[in-house]
Amino acid sequence: MSIEQTLQARSGGQCELCTSQDNLSVYEVPYSPDTTANSCVLVCSTCHDQLQHPDNMDVNHWRCLNDTMWSQEPAVQVVAYRQLSRLSSESWAQDNLDMIYMEDDVRKWAETGQDIEEVKVLDANGVTLQKGDDVTVIKDLPVKGSSQVIKQGTVIRGINLTDDPTHVQGKVNGQTLFVIAEFCRRK
């Protein structure tokens, strides 16, 4: 049986990521430990195009990962983990990343293939900020598009890092906001 036939049987004839049944093809997961069907995923043309060209990513399309991340297939878990990591600046994707469960060897496979560069996010004192750190705002900051001001001394707990190394994300007065990292000090 060919790899495509094996994947068709495994997936029930639908995309293993978004459940579409149109234009299905085999996607070989990069950095796979072998070249069998266990290292491939059956995907639709939309998913395939966005996996190959992350610059054209439609964030809303990937909300399907809310269900996909619970797949029992390691290759599907790896693709879901990598996509959620790429989208981690979206709060729903970060929430899913925090909940995803994978065996240790599958997680290692997923992390081995990530193309995320390590960029340091620095606070006002040049200290490297990490996800989950608490920071204090060091000067009054106006919030774009509103009359709200984040006051000096406001503590932002459990920040998230974004794709932009000059910004951090966190909740201020119940709202999720992006704050320029150089106006924060790590607690």
Side-chain angles (χ1 to χ4, degrees):
M1 192 182 309
S2 73
I3 289 177
E4 186 169 0
Q5 291 170 329
T6 304
L7 294 178
Q8 285 279 356
R10 179 176 87 187
S11 69
Q14 61 185 13
C15 176
E16 293 183 278
L17 301 176
C18 73
T19 68
S20 172
Q21 296 178 345
D22 300 327
N23 301 321
L24 300 176
S25 63
V26 175
Y27 174 73
E28 195 171 318
V29 181
Y31 306 101
S32 298
D34 60 45
T35 57
T36 65
N38 293 332
S39 296
C40 298
V41 178
L42 192 65
V43 296
C44 67
S45 58
T46 303
C47 289
H48 192 271
D49 182 53
Q50 292 185 38
L51 288 168
Q52 295 293 93
H53 308 286
D55 308 341
N56 302 334
M57 194 175 305
D58 174 13
V59 174
N60 288 322
H61 174 76
W62 292 106
R63 289 186 179 268
C64 61
L65 297 176
N66 292 338
D67 297 325
T68 304
M69 69 183 211
W70 302 111
S71 172
Q72 296 299 309
E73 295 299 328
V76 176
Q77 291 176 352
V78 167
V79 173
Y81 181 86
R82 290 178 183 171
Q83 284 303 98
L84 289 169
S85 295
R86 285 186 185 125
L87 296 165
S88 64
S89 63
E90 299 288 326
S91 61
W92 63 266
Q94 186 60 53
D95 291 344
N96 285 339
L97 266 177
D98 293 341
M99 289 189 302
I100 197 168
Y101 174 79
M102 300 181 337
E103 296 293 332
D104 291 339
D105 58 330
V106 177
R107 184 174 295 274
K108 184 176 179 183
W109 173 20
E111 290 172 349
T112 298
Q114 285 188 298
D115 295 328
I116 297 174
E117 298 176 12
E118 283 295 320
V119 179
K120 293 185 178 182
V121 179
L122 304 176
D123 73 356
N125 296 326
V127 176
T128 301
L129 296 174
Q130 296 178 359
K131 179 183 178 233
D133 284 346
D134 295 342
V135 296
T136 304
V137 177
I138 62 169
K139 73 178 230 175
D140 289 354
L141 298 174
V143 177
K144 281 188 179 178
S146 79
S147 60
Q148 182 181 0
V149 174
I150 303 172
K151 296 287 186 186
Q152 177 180 351
T154 300
V155 176
I156 304 173
R157 299 194 185 285
I159 62 167
N160 285 316
L161 303 181
T162 66
D163 294 337
D164 183 349
T166 63
H167 290 84
V168 295
Q169 178 185 24
K171 287 199 175 201
V172 178
N173 299 327
Q175 291 182 333
T176 301
L177 299 174
F178 292 90
V179 179
I180 299 173
E182 69 183 58
F183 298 126
C184 297
R185 184 181 66 240
R186 187 169 153 206
K187 275 190 95 171

